Amino acid sequence: MVEKVLDQEQIDAMVRAARGIKGGPREKNVTLWDARQAGQIGREQMRTINSLHESFARSLTHSLGAYLRVEVTATLVSAEHLSYGEFLQRVPEMTYLATLKIEPMGETAVLQFDLSAAFPIIDILLGGEGKGGAPNRNVSEIEEQILETLVHLICRELDNAWQGLALKFVFEQRQPADQIARLLPHEDKTLTLSFEMAMSDARGTFILMVPGVVSNAMLRKIAAGWVTASRPKAHKDSRERLRQLILDCPFRVELQMEAAPVPLRELARLQPGAVLTVRHRIEEPAQVVAGEQEIFTAGVARRGPLRAAKIFERIAPKEEQKRDGEGREETREEEVRDGEIHGPDVRNDTHDDVH
């Protein structure tokens, strides 16, 4: 029996056939990979982050409006996953920069505030109207101290927004641009949140940069359902407590009556002790008004040494009166339509008269 000896080429062909490969070596499908995409936030995660910080912007709007006593609007413009170097490229030369310590993680966030928004706030806090353009200079030491109160307010609202992570934002100090540039390696990932602030004729932005370590902790919490679970649960008696607090709110109550116009001649002749006839019949009731809302009809009365109002009946709110009026109008229209449909005798009588 003659043994068949295979050469190396035949052996390689058999191996390729066993692996299901026809012909030469398999072509590899190679695609370029952008290293900057490492650790990018997913679409669903970004949607949750946007929703979270839109709520923060609304809370900041109310807090700033109450603090400055002017109409202020804060809105989320963008939430991006950027490298620290990309964040630094967006920082203007003249701006307000401050560091915020994130406790207990010990990480540092950066708050960048446009001077176009900072100077109007300073002007309002100093008694101005917050109008006019920002001067072409950085803030002074006195203005810096004034802005610190604004940063503390932003930190407080951030604490409320990030309460599910049990983190606190603590203002450290204002920082020069060169110090900020050395805060993190430029290739480190960050979560960069941009907000727009508008008041009076002024408009500007502020940016919050959070290190990637902190944003990753947020993403893990989001994956675990933090945003839904972290919403504070209402206490079982909170509704009743709120009701009691509202019932204790004071309202100015007035007893008003409609009177016919009085000629200016009579007003000009009035003297102390004179009696002015307002042409309001005695039997017609007046209205008890609270918060510019008519509540009851009432008559003028006296209780001991005090004036009083004797309540007759409740006055329906204007919304109810409007609905009742619309309901009566609809009923009237239906009656008219029913008459047209079910009243052939009327049309026949008219037809006979015409002929």
Side-chain angles (χ1 to χ4, degrees):
M1 184 175 181
V2 180
E3 293 184 0
K4 185 176 182 180
V5 179
L6 302 177
D7 57 20
Q8 187 62 43
E9 183 178 351
Q10 291 174 324
I11 294 173
D12 292 342
M14 292 177 65
V15 172
R16 288 196 299 270
R19 293 179 178 177
I21 303 175
K22 298 180 180 179
R26 177 181 297 178
E27 295 183 0
K28 297 181 179 179
N29 185 17
V30 179
T31 57
L32 294 176
W33 179 68
D34 189 354
R36 293 176 298 179
Q37 295 179 354
Q40 288 289 345
I41 301 175
R43 183 176 300 176
E44 291 298 324
Q45 294 171 324
M46 186 60 72
R47 185 178 294 113
T48 305
I49 290 175
N50 286 341
S51 176
L52 179 71
H53 291 94
E54 284 170 357
S55 298
F56 159 76
R58 287 192 293 270
S59 298
L60 184 62
T61 294
H62 298 317
S63 299
L64 280 177
Y67 178 65
L68 300 175
R69 298 183 181 275
V70 296
E71 185 175 353
V72 183
T73 303
T75 54
L76 175 67
V77 177
S78 66
E80 301 174 277
H81 218 203
L82 303 176
S83 68
Y84 189 59
E86 291 172 326
F87 161 73
L88 292 176
Q89 292 176 1
R90 301 187 179 189
V91 176
E93 293 184 8
M94 297 182 62
T95 188
Y96 175 86
L97 291 165
T99 52
L100 312 177
K101 185 64 70 175
I102 304 176
E103 300 293 354
M105 296 184 68
E107 299 293 331
T108 302
V110 176
L111 180 67
Q112 181 261 317
F113 218 94
D114 280 0
L115 298 184
S116 57
F119 278 113
I121 292 177
I122 293 172
D123 183 58
I124 291 173
L125 292 175
L126 292 177
E129 297 181 356
K131 298 181 179 180
N136 189 23
R137 61 173 177 83
N138 268 316
V139 296
S140 64
E141 293 184 3
I142 296 177
E143 293 167 339
E144 176 185 334
Q145 295 177 3
I146 295 174
L147 282 178
E148 285 185 14
T149 59
L150 173 64
V151 178
H152 283 297
L153 191 150
I154 293 176
C155 287
R156 186 185 69 190
E157 295 301 331
L158 284 172
D159 291 345
N160 294 332
W162 288 52
Q163 62 180 342
L165 282 173
L167 296 180
K168 289 186 67 65
F169 288 78
V170 181
F171 169 71
E172 283 192 319
Q173 59 182 349
R174 181 189 176 191
Q175 298 283 2
D178 56 349
Q179 184 66 30
I180 292 293
R182 296 192 295 268
L183 186 64
L184 292 173
H186 285 204
E187 63 274 10
D188 278 14
K189 288 296 181 181
T190 68
L191 175 62
T192 304
L193 303 163
S194 301
F195 300 88
E196 184 182 63
M197 185 178 296
M199 72 195 85
S200 301
D201 298 330
R203 188 179 298 270
T205 61
F206 70 92
I207 298 176
L208 176 68
M209 186 286 300
V210 179
V213 175
V214 182
S215 64
N216 289 338
M218 176 195 286
L219 294 178
R220 288 193 294 271
K221 286 288 187 178
I222 290 175
W226 158 49
V227 174
T228 302
S230 65
R231 292 176 181 172
K233 296 181 180 179
H235 198 271
K236 59 182 180 180
D237 63 343
S238 60
R239 189 179 186 88
E240 180 60 26
R241 290 170 55 194
L242 179 60
R243 178 176 177 274
Q244 293 301 324
L245 290 173
I246 293 177
L247 290 176
D248 290 336
C249 293
F251 279 86
R252 182 183 180 88
V253 178
E254 300 176 355
L255 186 62
Q256 298 180 353
M257 62 178 65
E258 296 182 0
V262 178
L264 179 60
R265 182 178 295 102
E266 293 188 25
L267 295 178
R269 290 201 300 259
L270 287 178
Q271 297 293 334
V275 176
L276 175 64
T277 303
V278 295
R279 298 177 176 84
H280 183 92
R281 299 182 63 84
I282 297 177
E283 61 270 14
E284 292 182 4
Q287 293 80 37
V288 176
V289 179
E292 300 182 357
Q293 176 69 47
E294 296 180 352
I295 304 177
F296 295 99
T297 58
V300 180
R302 185 178 68 178
R303 186 169 187 176
L306 301 177
R307 296 182 183 274
K310 184 177 181 179
I311 304 300
F312 295 152
E313 61 180 359
R314 179 179 177 273
I315 300 176
K318 293 181 179 179
E319 293 78 7
E320 293 183 12
Q321 296 177 8
K322 182 178 179 181
R323 288 196 298 268
D324 292 344
E326 292 175 350
R328 286 193 294 270
E329 186 65 26
E330 291 176 358
T331 302
R332 175 58 182 166
E333 291 178 357
E334 291 176 359
E335 291 176 352
V336 172
R337 289 196 298 269
D338 291 344
E340 293 174 352
I341 296 172
H342 301 293
D345 294 340
V346 175
R347 291 197 298 269
N348 289 339
D349 291 344
T350 307
H351 179 75
D352 293 339
D353 291 341
V354 172
H355 287 279

Coordinates of all heavy atoms in Angstrom, one line a residue, residues 107-164:
E107 N -14.7 65.9 45.0 CA -14.4 66.4 43.6 C -14.7 67.8 43.5 O -15.4 68.4 44.4 CB -15.2 65.6 42.6 CG -14.9 64.1 42.6 CD -13.5 63.8 42.1 OE1 -12.9 64.6 41.3 OE2 -12.9 62.8 42.6
T108 N -14.2 68.5 42.5 CA -14.4 69.9 42.3 C -15.1 70.2 41.0 O -14.7 69.7 39.9 CB -13.1 70.6 42.3 OG1 -12.4 70.4 43.5 CG2 -13.3 72.1 42.1
A109 N -16.2 71.0 41.0 CA -16.9 71.4 39.9 C -16.6 72.9 39.6 O -16.0 73.6 40.5 CB -18.4 71.3 40.1
V110 N -16.8 73.3 38.4 CA -16.5 74.7 38.0 C -17.8 75.4 37.5 O -18.6 74.8 36.7 CB -15.5 74.7 36.8 CG1 -15.2 76.1 36.3 CG2 -14.2 74.1 37.3
L111 N -18.0 76.6 38.0 CA -19.1 77.4 37.6 C -18.6 78.6 36.8 O -17.8 79.4 37.4 CB -19.9 77.9 38.8 CG -21.2 78.8 38.5 CD1 -22.2 78.0 37.8 CD2 -21.7 79.4 39.8
Q112 N -19.0 78.8 35.6 CA -18.6 79.9 34.8 C -19.8 80.8 34.5 O -20.8 80.3 34.0 CB -18.0 79.4 33.4 CG -17.5 80.5 32.5 CD -18.5 80.9 31.4 OE1 -19.1 79.9 30.8 NE2 -18.7 82.1 31.2
F113 N -19.7 82.1 34.8 CA -20.8 83.0 34.7 C -20.5 84.1 33.8 O -19.5 84.8 33.9 CB -21.1 83.6 36.1 CG -22.6 83.8 36.4 CD1 -23.3 82.8 37.0 CD2 -23.3 84.9 35.9 CE1 -24.7 82.9 37.3 CE2 -24.6 85.1 36.2 CZ -25.3 84.1 36.8
D114 N -21.3 84.3 32.7 CA -21.1 85.4 31.8 C -21.2 86.7 32.5 O -22.2 86.9 33.3 CB -22.0 85.3 30.6 CG -21.6 84.3 29.6 OD1 -20.5 83.7 29.8 OD2 -22.3 84.1 28.6
L115 N -20.3 87.7 32.1 CA -20.5 89.0 32.7 C -21.7 89.7 32.2 O -22.2 90.6 32.9 CB -19.2 89.8 32.4 CG -17.9 89.3 33.0 CD1 -16.7 90.2 32.7 CD2 -18.0 89.0 34.5
S116 N -22.2 89.3 31.0 CA -23.4 90.0 30.5 C -24.6 89.7 31.4 O -25.6 90.4 31.4 CB -23.7 89.5 29.1 OG -23.8 88.1 29.1
A117 N -24.6 88.6 32.2 CA -25.6 88.3 33.2 C -25.2 88.7 34.6 O -26.1 89.0 35.4 CB -26.0 86.8 33.1
A118 N -23.9 88.7 34.9 CA -23.4 89.0 36.2 C -23.6 90.4 36.6 O -24.1 90.8 37.7 CB -22.0 88.6 36.4
F119 N -23.3 91.4 35.7 CA -23.3 92.8 36.0 C -24.8 93.3 36.2 O -25.0 94.1 37.1 CB -22.6 93.6 34.9 CG -21.1 93.7 35.1 CD1 -20.3 93.1 34.2 CD2 -20.6 94.3 36.2 CE1 -18.9 93.1 34.4 CE2 -19.2 94.4 36.4 CZ -18.4 93.8 35.5
P120 N -25.8 92.9 35.4 CA -27.2 93.3 35.7 C -27.6 92.8 37.1 O -28.3 93.5 37.8 CB -28.0 92.6 34.6 CG -27.0 92.5 33.4 CD -25.7 92.2 34.1
I121 N -27.2 91.6 37.5 CA -27.6 91.1 38.8 C -27.0 92.0 39.9 O -27.6 92.4 40.9 CB -27.2 89.6 39.0 CG1 -28.1 88.8 38.0 CG2 -27.3 89.2 40.4 CD1 -27.7 87.3 38.1
I122 N -25.7 92.3 39.7 CA -25.0 93.2 40.6 C -25.7 94.5 40.7 O -25.9 95.1 41.8 CB -23.5 93.4 40.2 CG1 -22.8 92.0 40.4 CG2 -22.8 94.4 41.1 CD1 -21.4 92.1 39.8
D123 N -26.1 95.1 39.6 CA -26.8 96.4 39.5 C -28.1 96.3 40.3 O -28.5 97.2 41.0 CB -27.0 96.8 38.1 CG -27.7 98.2 38.0 OD1 -27.1 99.1 38.5 OD2 -28.8 98.2 37.4
I124 N -28.9 95.2 40.1 CA -30.1 95.1 40.9 C -29.9 95.0 42.4 O -30.6 95.6 43.1 CB -30.9 93.8 40.4 CG1 -31.4 94.0 38.9 CG2 -32.1 93.5 41.3 CD1 -31.9 92.8 38.3
L125 N -28.9 94.2 42.8 CA -28.6 94.1 44.2 C -28.1 95.4 44.8 O -28.2 95.5 46.0 CB -27.6 92.9 44.4 CG -28.1 91.5 44.1 CD1 -27.0 90.5 44.2 CD2 -29.3 91.1 45.0
L126 N -27.6 96.3 44.0 CA -27.1 97.6 44.5 C -28.2 98.6 44.4 O -28.0 99.8 44.6 CB -25.9 98.0 43.8 CG -24.6 97.2 44.0 CD1 -23.5 97.7 43.2 CD2 -24.3 97.2 45.5
G127 N -29.4 98.2 44.0 CA -30.6 99.2 43.9 C -30.9 99.6 42.6 O -31.8 100.5 42.4
G128 N -30.2 99.2 41.5 CA -30.5 99.6 40.2 C -31.7 98.8 39.6 O -32.3 98.0 40.2
E129 N -31.8 98.9 38.2 CA -32.9 98.2 37.5 C -32.4 97.1 36.7 O -33.1 96.4 36.0 CB -33.6 99.2 36.6 CG -34.3 100.3 37.3 CD -35.1 101.2 36.4 OE1 -35.0 101.0 35.2 OE2 -35.8 102.2 36.9
G130 N -31.0 96.9 36.7 CA -30.5 95.8 35.9 C -30.5 95.9 34.4 O -30.5 95.0 33.7
K131 N -30.5 97.2 34.0 CA -30.5 97.5 32.5 C -29.2 98.0 32.1 O -28.3 98.4 32.9 CB -31.6 98.5 32.2 CG -33.0 98.0 32.6 CD -34.1 99.0 32.2 CE -35.5 98.5 32.5 NZ -36.5 99.5 32.2
G132 N -29.0 98.1 30.8 CA -27.7 98.6 30.3 C -26.7 97.4 30.0 O -26.8 96.3 30.6
G133 N -25.7 97.7 29.2 CA -24.7 96.7 28.8 C -23.7 96.5 29.9 O -23.5 97.3 30.8
A134 N -23.0 95.4 29.8 CA -21.9 95.1 30.8 C -20.7 95.9 30.5 O -20.3 95.9 29.3 CB -21.7 93.6 30.8
P135 N -20.0 96.4 31.4 CA -18.8 97.2 31.2 C -17.7 96.2 30.7 O -17.7 95.0 31.0 CB -18.4 97.8 32.5 CG -19.1 97.0 33.5 CD -20.4 96.5 32.9
N136 N -16.7 96.7 29.9 CA -15.6 95.9 29.4 C -14.5 95.7 30.4 O -13.4 96.3 30.2 CB -15.1 96.6 28.1 CG -14.2 95.7 27.4 OD1 -14.2 94.4 27.5 ND2 -13.3 96.3 26.6
R137 N -14.8 95.0 31.5 CA -13.8 94.8 32.5 C -14.3 93.6 33.3 O -15.5 93.1 33.2 CB -13.7 96.0 33.4 CG -15.0 96.4 34.1 CD -14.8 97.5 35.2 NE -16.0 97.9 35.8 CZ -16.6 97.3 36.8 NH1 -16.0 96.2 37.3 NH2 -17.7 97.7 37.4
N138 N -13.4 93.0 34.2 CA -13.8 92.0 35.1 C -14.4 92.6 36.3 O -14.4 93.8 36.6 CB -12.6 91.1 35.5 CG -12.4 89.9 34.5 OD1 -13.4 89.3 34.2 ND2 -11.2 89.7 34.1
V139 N -15.0 91.7 37.2 CA -15.7 92.2 38.4 C -14.6 92.6 39.4 O -13.5 92.0 39.5 CB -16.6 91.1 39.0 CG1 -17.7 90.8 38.0 CG2 -15.8 89.8 39.3
S140 N -15.0 93.6 40.2 CA -14.1 94.1 41.3 C -14.3 93.2 42.5 O -15.1 92.3 42.5 CB -14.4 95.5 41.6 OG -15.7 95.6 42.1
E141 N -13.5 93.5 43.5 CA -13.6 92.7 44.8 C -14.9 92.8 45.4 O -15.5 91.9 46.0 CB -12.5 93.1 45.7 CG -11.1 92.7 45.2 CD -10.0 93.0 46.3 OE1 -10.4 93.5 47.4 OE2 -8.8 92.8 46.0
I142 N -15.5 94.0 45.4 CA -16.8 94.3 46.0 C -17.9 93.6 45.2 O -18.7 92.9 45.8 CB -17.1 95.8 46.1 CG1 -16.1 96.5 47.1 CG2 -18.5 96.0 46.6 CD1 -16.3 98.0 47.2
E143 N -17.8 93.7 43.9 CA -18.8 93.0 43.1 C -18.6 91.5 43.2 O -19.6 90.7 43.1 CB -18.6 93.4 41.6 CG -18.9 94.9 41.4 CD -18.4 95.4 40.0 OE1 -17.5 94.7 39.5 OE2 -18.9 96.4 39.5
E144 N -17.4 91.0 43.4 CA -17.2 89.6 43.6 C -17.9 89.1 44.9 O -18.5 88.0 44.9 CB -15.7 89.3 43.7 CG -15.3 87.9 44.0 CD -13.8 87.7 44.3 OE1 -13.1 88.5 43.7 OE2 -13.4 86.8 45.0
Q145 N -17.9 89.8 45.9 CA -18.6 89.4 47.2 C -20.1 89.4 47.0 O -20.8 88.6 47.5 CB -18.2 90.4 48.3 CG -16.7 90.3 48.7 CD -16.4 91.3 49.8 OE1 -17.2 92.1 50.2 NE2 -15.1 91.4 50.1
I146 N -20.6 90.3 46.1 CA -22.0 90.4 45.9 C -22.4 89.1 45.1 O -23.5 88.5 45.3 CB -22.4 91.6 45.1 CG1 -22.1 92.9 46.0 CG2 -23.8 91.6 44.6 CD1 -22.3 94.2 45.3
L147 N -21.6 88.7 44.1 CA -21.9 87.5 43.3 C -21.8 86.2 44.1 O -22.5 85.2 43.7 CB -20.9 87.4 42.1 CG -21.2 88.4 40.9 CD1 -20.2 88.2 39.8 CD2 -22.6 88.1 40.4
E148 N -21.1 86.2 45.2 CA -21.0 85.0 46.0 C -22.4 84.6 46.6 O -22.7 83.4 46.7 CB -20.0 85.3 47.2 CG -18.6 85.2 46.8 CD -17.6 85.3 48.0 OE1 -18.1 85.2 49.1 OE2 -16.4 85.6 47.8
T149 N -23.2 85.6 46.9 CA -24.6 85.3 47.4 C -25.4 84.6 46.3 O -26.1 83.6 46.6 CB -25.3 86.6 47.8 OG1 -25.4 87.5 46.7 CG2 -24.6 87.3 48.9
L150 N -25.1 85.0 45.0 CA -25.8 84.3 43.9 C -25.3 82.9 43.7 O -26.1 81.9 43.5 CB -25.6 85.1 42.6 CG -26.1 84.4 41.3 CD1 -27.6 84.3 41.3 CD2 -25.6 85.2 40.1
V151 N -24.0 82.7 43.9 CA -23.4 81.3 43.8 C -24.0 80.4 44.9 O -24.3 79.2 44.7 CB -21.9 81.4 43.8 CG1 -21.3 80.0 43.7 CG2 -21.4 82.2 42.6
H152 N -24.1 80.9 46.1 CA -24.6 80.1 47.2 C -26.1 79.7 46.9 O -26.5 78.6 47.2 CB -24.6 81.0 48.5 CG -23.2 81.0 49.1 ND1 -22.6 79.9 49.6 CD2 -22.4 82.1 49.3 CE1 -21.4 80.3 50.1 NE2 -21.3 81.6 49.9
L153 N -26.8 80.6 46.3 CA -28.2 80.3 45.9 C -28.2 79.2 44.9 O -29.0 78.2 44.9 CB -28.9 81.5 45.4 CG -30.5 81.4 45.2 CD1 -31.1 82.8 45.5 CD2 -30.8 81.0 43.8
I154 N -27.3 79.2 43.9 CA -27.3 78.2 42.8 C -26.9 76.9 43.5 O -27.4 75.8 43.1 CB -26.3 78.6 41.7 CG1 -26.8 79.8 41.0 CG2 -26.0 77.4 40.8 CD1 -25.8 80.3 39.9
C155 N -25.9 76.9 44.4 CA -25.5 75.7 45.1 C -26.7 75.0 45.9 O -26.8 73.8 45.9 CB -24.4 76.0 46.1 SG -22.8 76.3 45.3
R156 N -27.5 75.9 46.5 CA -28.6 75.3 47.2 C -29.6 74.6 46.3 O -30.1 73.5 46.6 CB -29.4 76.5 48.0 CG -30.5 76.0 48.9 CD -31.2 77.2 49.5 NE -32.0 77.9 48.4 CZ -32.5 79.1 48.6 NH1 -32.4 79.7 49.8 NH2 -33.2 79.7 47.6
E157 N -29.9 75.2 45.1 CA -30.8 74.6 44.2 C -30.2 73.3 43.6 O -30.9 72.3 43.3 CB -31.2 75.5 43.1 CG -32.0 76.7 43.5 CD -33.3 76.3 44.2 OE1 -33.8 75.3 43.9 OE2 -33.7 77.1 45.1
L158 N -28.8 73.3 43.4 CA -28.2 72.1 42.9 C -28.3 71.0 44.0 O -28.5 69.8 43.6 CB -26.7 72.4 42.6 CG -26.4 73.1 41.3 CD1 -25.0 73.5 41.2 CD2 -26.8 72.3 40.1
D159 N -28.2 71.3 45.3 CA -28.3 70.3 46.3 C -29.7 69.6 46.2 O -29.8 68.4 46.4 CB -28.2 71.0 47.7 CG -26.7 71.4 47.9 OD1 -25.9 71.0 47.2 OD2 -26.5 72.2 48.9
N160 N -30.7 70.4 46.0 CA -32.1 69.9 45.9 C -32.2 69.0 44.6 O -32.9 68.0 44.7 CB -33.1 71.0 45.8 CG -33.2 71.8 47.1 OD1 -32.9 71.3 48.2 ND2 -33.5 73.1 47.0
A161 N -31.6 69.4 43.5 CA -31.7 68.6 42.3 C -31.0 67.3 42.4 O -31.4 66.3 41.8 CB -31.2 69.5 41.1
W162 N -29.8 67.3 43.1 CA -29.0 66.1 43.2 C -29.2 65.4 44.5 O -28.3 64.6 45.0 CB -27.5 66.5 43.0 CG -27.1 66.9 41.7 CD1 -27.8 67.8 40.9 CD2 -26.0 66.4 40.9 NE1 -27.1 68.0 39.7 CE2 -26.0 67.1 39.7 CE3 -25.1 65.5 41.1 CZ2 -25.1 66.9 38.7 CZ3 -24.1 65.2 40.2 CH2 -24.2 65.9 38.9
Q163 N -30.3 65.6 45.2 CA -30.5 65.0 46.5 C -30.5 63.5 46.5 O -30.1 62.8 47.5 CB -31.8 65.5 47.1 CG -33.1 65.1 46.3 CD -34.4 65.6 46.9 OE1 -34.4 66.0 48.1 NE2 -35.4 65.7 46.2
G164 N -30.8 62.9 45.3 CA -30.8 61.4 45.3 C -29.4 60.8 45.4 O -29.2 59.7 45.8

